[in-house]
């Protein structure tokens, strides 16, 4: 009831309220009793210092210090629905971290923090700027259904397996130099975003995402196509059924797009600058279709074998191929 009241008071329209409440139901069903508050209420009040919607504003230092102490001492690390002031996270967080439905009313700085285990910010709200520059997420990182109202910076971060499914980036989303081993941006809303110099090393999804402003991919690496990624045709980046609002546009500048899918997407809202497709200039959807109906399987396998032989020869010093050497590096 507390969460539903907060959603009603802080959501701008009915559709957003419905979506937030669906995430609320899903998260509470998933966590069960683990989402319950174990902290004592403030004397004479209904809630603890973390769940009272005003206490963080009146006593920011107390809330900040108590939360950081819990990060170090608490075995559970379930901080569901917390109201928090500006915060700097410690250099290393060794345990799973549950921050579902949390409200970060001030800035959040986690630059170069190392999350050794999984972390969940599902359904969280970030009112101010968020900084995850150089942060390493070794486990699963979930930002599903999260709302970023200002700058969200993940520059130089490393995300092993991440989900931004249904997230809303209302300010600038910056992923410059970010490394994604596997990532989901399904039904994600971008106001403006930069993925310059980012690396997508595994199958990734942008399906059904909504673009309100410019989203730029400059010198972005979409699958290095090395070793096992070379021989699996289903390792690709999917931009399926994208939606564009206002002046929304996607720009690919100086990118190799031989493993990028645009099926059911209006290419009139996408700008290609100095981009490279495969040697035969086919977009990947066409190649994948021909592989599926067995008309290109033999050719695809032959290409894979040649690529693997070249990789081995470069590693053994028998051949010089700068493109392959760059991928290996």
């Amino acid at each position: 009831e507390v969460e539903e009241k907060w959603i009603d008071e802080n959501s701008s329209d009915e559709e957003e309220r419905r979506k937030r409440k669906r995430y609320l139901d899903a998260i509470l069903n998933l966590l069960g009793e683990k989402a319950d508050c174990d902290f004592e209420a403030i004397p004479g009040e209904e809630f603890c210092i973390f769940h009272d919607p005003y206490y963080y504003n009146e006593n920011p230092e107390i809330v900040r210090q108590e939360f950081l102490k819990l990060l170090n001492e608490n075995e559970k690390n379930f901080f569901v629905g917390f109201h928090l002031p500006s915060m700097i996270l410690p250099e290393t967080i060794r345990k799973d971290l549950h921050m579902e439905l949390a409200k970060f009313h001030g800035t959040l700085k986690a630059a170069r923090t190392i999350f050794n285990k999984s972390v969940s910010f599902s359904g969280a709200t970030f009112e101010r700027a968020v900084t995850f520059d150089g942060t390493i997420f070794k486990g699963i990182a979930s930002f599903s259904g999260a709302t970023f109202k200002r700058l969200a910076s993940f520059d130089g971060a490393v995300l092993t397996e991440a989900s931004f499914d249904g997230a809303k980036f209302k300010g600038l989303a910056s992923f410059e130099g970010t490394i994604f081993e596997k990532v989901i941006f399904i039904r994600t809303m971008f106001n403006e975003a930069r993925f310059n110099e980012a690396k997508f090393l595994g199958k990734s999804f942008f399906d059904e995402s909504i673009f309100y402003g410019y989203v730029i991919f400059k010198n972005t690496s979409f699958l290095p196509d090395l070793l096992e990624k070379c021989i699996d045709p289903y390792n690709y980046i999917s931009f399926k059924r994208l939606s564009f609002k206002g002046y929304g546009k996607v720009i690919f500048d100086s990118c190799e797009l031989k493993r990028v899918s645009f099926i059911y997407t209006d290419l009139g809202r996408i700008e290609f600058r100095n981009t490279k497709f495969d040697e035969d200039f086919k977009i990947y959807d066409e190649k994948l279709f021909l592989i599926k109906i067995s008309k290109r399987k033999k050719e695809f396998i032959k290409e894979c074998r040649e690529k693997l032989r070249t990789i081995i020869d470069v590693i053994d010093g028998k051949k010089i191929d700068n493109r392959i050497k760059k991928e290996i590096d």
Side-chain angles (χ1 to χ4, degrees):
E1 292 84 356
V2 174
E3 287 294 331
E4 286 183 346
K5 181 182 177 183
W6 189 87
I7 291 171
D8 289 334
E9 292 175 351
N10 291 273
S11 298
S12 58
D13 59 66
E14 187 59 35
E15 179 61 24
E16 184 176 354
R17 281 193 286 271
R18 283 198 297 268
K19 286 182 179 179
R20 281 179 174 267
K21 288 180 181 180
R22 284 200 296 270
Y23 271 106
L24 169 62
D25 290 340
I27 289 168
L28 295 182
N29 287 332
L30 180 65
L31 295 178
E33 293 181 357
K34 294 177 181 177
D36 294 343
C37 178
D38 294 330
F39 304 103
E40 292 185 6
I42 302 166
E45 301 292 338
E46 187 177 359
F47 305 112
C48 71
I49 65 171
F50 301 112
H51 287 112
D52 187 290
Y54 307 106
Y55 191 84
Y56 78 90
N57 193 35
E58 299 162 356
N59 303 275
E61 193 58 34
I62 292 175
V63 174
R64 185 180 299 113
Q65 293 303 322
E66 288 299 313
F67 174 73
L68 292 174
K69 188 165 71 173
L70 287 173
L71 271 182
N72 292 323
E73 299 175 357
N74 197 293
E75 288 299 319
K76 296 179 181 179
N77 269 9
F78 281 90
F79 310 124
V80 180
F82 275 28
H83 288 267
L84 296 170
S86 295
M87 190 73 59
I88 300 176
L89 294 185
E91 293 181 359
T92 304
I93 297 179
R94 295 179 172 82
K95 295 170 285 189
D96 292 337
L97 180 62
H98 288 268
M99 300 293 301
E100 291 90 346
L101 305 171
K103 287 84 178 170
F104 294 89
H105 296 278
T107 58
L108 176 64
K109 296 182 180 179
R112 291 175 292 281
T113 294
I114 299 174
F115 293 95
N116 284 329
K117 298 291 183 67
S118 64
V119 56
S120 177
F121 291 94
S122 296
T125 300
F126 301 90
E127 298 282 350
R128 302 292 175 182
V130 182
T131 307
F132 287 101
D133 296 348
T135 303
I136 298 175
F137 297 87
K138 293 185 177 181
I140 297 172
S142 176
F143 292 88
S144 297
T147 299
F148 300 87
K149 293 190 176 182
R150 302 289 180 89
L151 169 69
S153 182
F154 290 79
D155 293 349
V158 178
L159 295 108
T160 303
E161 186 173 346
S163 174
F164 293 87
D165 180 17
K168 289 182 174 66
F169 292 94
K170 296 186 176 182
L172 171 64
S174 185
F175 293 93
E176 301 203 39
T178 306
I179 296 175
F180 301 99
E181 293 191 23
K182 183 179 179 182
V183 65
I184 294 173
F185 283 104
I186 295 177
R187 292 181 294 274
T188 306
M189 189 208 85
F190 295 96
N191 185 48
E192 183 183 353
R194 293 195 295 253
F195 290 87
N196 303 338
E197 306 284 346
K199 293 178 173 62
F200 293 86
L201 305 182
K203 189 171 183 179
S204 305
F205 301 88
F206 284 83
D207 298 353
E208 299 180 43
S209 287
I210 305 170
F211 301 92
Y212 283 84
Y214 287 103
V215 177
I216 302 172
F217 297 87
K218 185 173 182 179
N219 294 318
T220 306
S221 174
F222 295 104
L223 288 175
D225 196 24
L226 191 66
L227 298 179
E228 80 275 2
K229 295 178 181 64
C230 170
I231 59 178
D232 182 358
Y234 296 98
N235 266 302
Y236 62 92
I237 310 298
S238 178
F239 288 86
K240 185 187 297 182
R241 292 190 175 92
L242 300 187
S243 296
F244 299 92
K245 307 288 185 181
Y247 63 92
K249 194 171 189 177
V250 178
I251 298 172
F252 293 96
D253 189 348
S254 304
C255 304
E256 284 199 22
L257 302 176
K258 62 182 179 180
R259 285 276 180 123
V260 179
S261 169
F262 297 102
I263 197 164
Y264 304 122
T265 289
D266 179 9
L267 295 183
R269 302 296 288 265
I270 299 179
E271 184 175 332
F272 301 99
R273 303 174 183 171
N274 305 311
T275 50
K276 295 180 181 178
F277 290 87
D278 217 338
E279 286 75 8
D280 53 11
F281 298 102
K282 286 185 172 69
I283 62 171
Y284 198 67
D285 299 306
E286 182 180 355
K287 296 188 72 171
L288 192 60
F289 172 73
L290 293 173
I291 291 169
K292 282 181 178 179
I293 62 174
S294 299
K295 288 193 174 181
R296 279 210 72 226
K297 273 190 178 176
K298 289 183 179 179
E299 184 183 340
F300 181 80
I301 292 169
K302 181 182 177 182
E303 289 175 2
C304 292
R305 284 176 174 164
E306 290 175 355
K307 177 72 176 288
L308 291 171
R309 281 197 203 97
T310 305
I311 291 169
I312 293 168
D313 288 343
V314 170
I315 290 173
D316 290 344
K318 296 177 181 178
K319 189 173 183 178
I320 296 175
D321 188 313
N322 292 331
R323 187 174 69 85
I324 295 296
K325 186 178 183 303
K326 185 179 178 182
E327 287 189 25
I328 292 170
D329 292 342

